[in-house]
Every structure is written in C-alpha cells, then in structure tokens.
Amino acid sequence: MDDGQRSVRRKRLLFRSWHRGMREMDMLLGRFAERHIDTFSDRQLALFEAILEEVDPEIYGWLSGRIPVPADMQSDVMRLLKNFTVSIDQH
C-alpha cells in the first residue's frame, strides 16, 4: 500500500471511530484513533478496522471486562485500546 492509500485509509478509520452511534464509544474510539492511528502499520490498521466492524455494545463489553475478548480479536491493537481505556478511566 502506498502512502496516499494509507493516508486515505487512516482518514476513513478516524471518521468511523468518531461516528459510531453510541456517544461513549465515539469519544473513546475517536480519541484513541487520534492518538495512535498515524503510527499504525498496515497490519495494525487492519486489526483496528476489524475492531470497528464490531457493534458498540460488544466492544464496550470487551473494554469494560464484562465480556472476554474473543481469541480472534486479541492483538497488540486491542491491548493498546484496553490500556488507553484504563488510562482514560483513571483521569
């Protein structure tokens, strides 16, 4: 993927992060994307995109610890997102 395509993909994912439908998830995923998306590799962008494909209540359950993260969703990006969520909760 060239830099132009990667830039478009990042912008699309950033938009999707801020426009989820559930305000709490908009804020959480939008802020997370703003902080990390520019440093993500193509692999990490794909992992984040897969997270965004899931419904908000499911993601919220994973991040809150009420629902275990499925094996196929466990990744460095999910760990980074969970750590980001914890850091937001502590402030």
Side-chain angles (χ1 to χ4, degrees):
M1 177 177 303
D2 69 33
D3 288 340
Q5 292 170 316
R6 192 172 295 108
S7 176
V8 168
R9 187 177 190 188
R10 284 184 171 128
K11 287 177 186 175
R12 187 182 78 244
L13 291 173
L14 182 60
F15 180 86
R16 287 180 62 198
S17 298
W18 276 109
H19 297 88
R20 302 286 306 167
M22 193 171 142
R23 183 154 174 79
E24 294 84 0
M25 294 306 294
D26 291 350
M27 298 292 286
L28 178 64
L29 292 172
R31 288 178 180 168
F32 173 79
E34 282 183 350
R35 180 163 301 163
H36 295 287
I37 205 161
D38 286 340
T39 63
F40 280 175
S41 66
D42 291 338
R43 178 189 64 79
Q44 289 171 313
L45 290 172
L47 292 168
F48 186 54
E49 194 165 29
I51 293 169
L52 294 180
E53 291 295 322
E54 300 297 325
V55 295
D56 286 346
E58 194 80 11
I59 299 170
Y60 186 79
W62 298 338
L63 298 178
S64 67
R66 289 185 294 135
I67 302 171
V69 177
D72 65 328
M73 297 302 287
Q74 294 179 13
S75 67
D76 57 330
V77 174
M78 181 60 76
R79 282 188 300 281
L80 192 60
L81 179 56
K82 287 185 84 164
N83 289 338
F84 181 82
T85 303
V86 169
S87 72
I88 296 263
D89 286 343
Q90 293 176 349
H91 289 107

